[in-house]
Amino acid sequence: MIDLAKLRADIQQEVSEYPVPPPRDPAAVGSALSVEWFEQGLAEMREALVDPYVTDAVWFDHLTQQRVSRPVAVVADDQGAHVVALDLEGDEFELFFRSDDALHSMNVRGDAVGCFLAR
């Protein structure tokens, strides 16, 4: 069973310690995002943090060509179309979009802040 209080504390710590800007991959192409862009995104994430709760989310299984549902722990909700949640089976954070009263995977995975900033 997941400790939701610890999960919230861990997310708050991740947001507060997130480097602005994060280290740039030397293989990256294009222009780097500004410090202001990261600061704004982190401020938006702080506003979007919720008391974590467990719900189901939907993935599309390309092998079976069916939708599958799994439990996730929601940690951030921008009150628009996007939610960041911990996939309880995959044990990683993921970005979801809300549609038809369900959460659907966007296949963006990684750390919670990175998923939120990818909206």
Side-chain angles (χ1 to χ4, degrees):
M1 188 58 135
I2 187 164
D3 182 343
L4 296 176
K6 181 179 180 332
L7 179 60
R8 174 153 179 121
D10 290 348
I11 295 302
Q12 287 173 321
Q13 182 175 357
E14 182 180 334
V15 172
S16 70
E17 294 177 354
Y18 195 79
V20 175
R24 185 165 163 80
D25 184 330
V29 296
S31 300
L33 294 168
S34 69
V35 169
E36 293 79 19
W37 185 89
F38 284 99
E39 289 173 342
Q40 179 180 346
L42 289 170
E44 290 171 1
M45 185 169 185
R46 284 184 197 94
E47 290 293 319
L49 292 177
V50 297
D51 287 328
Y53 61 92
V54 175
T55 190
D56 287 327
V58 178
W59 283 260
F60 186 76
D61 184 331
H62 293 279
L63 293 175
T64 65
Q65 296 295 304
Q66 295 181 346
R67 295 179 190 271
V68 294
S69 179
R70 296 196 311 245
V72 297
V74 173
V75 298
D77 184 343
D78 70 4
Q79 298 303 309
H82 299 99
V83 169
V84 174
L86 177 64
D87 175 3
L88 298 178
E89 291 181 17
D91 199 31
E92 62 185 339
F93 289 96
E94 191 161 346
L95 181 63
F96 297 87
F97 70 93
R98 185 182 288 110
S99 176
D100 303 324
D101 295 325
L103 299 179
H104 300 269
S105 170
M106 294 182 71
N107 291 315
V108 174
R109 297 179 179 96
D111 63 275
V113 174
C115 288
F116 188 86
L117 293 177
R119 301 172 300 143

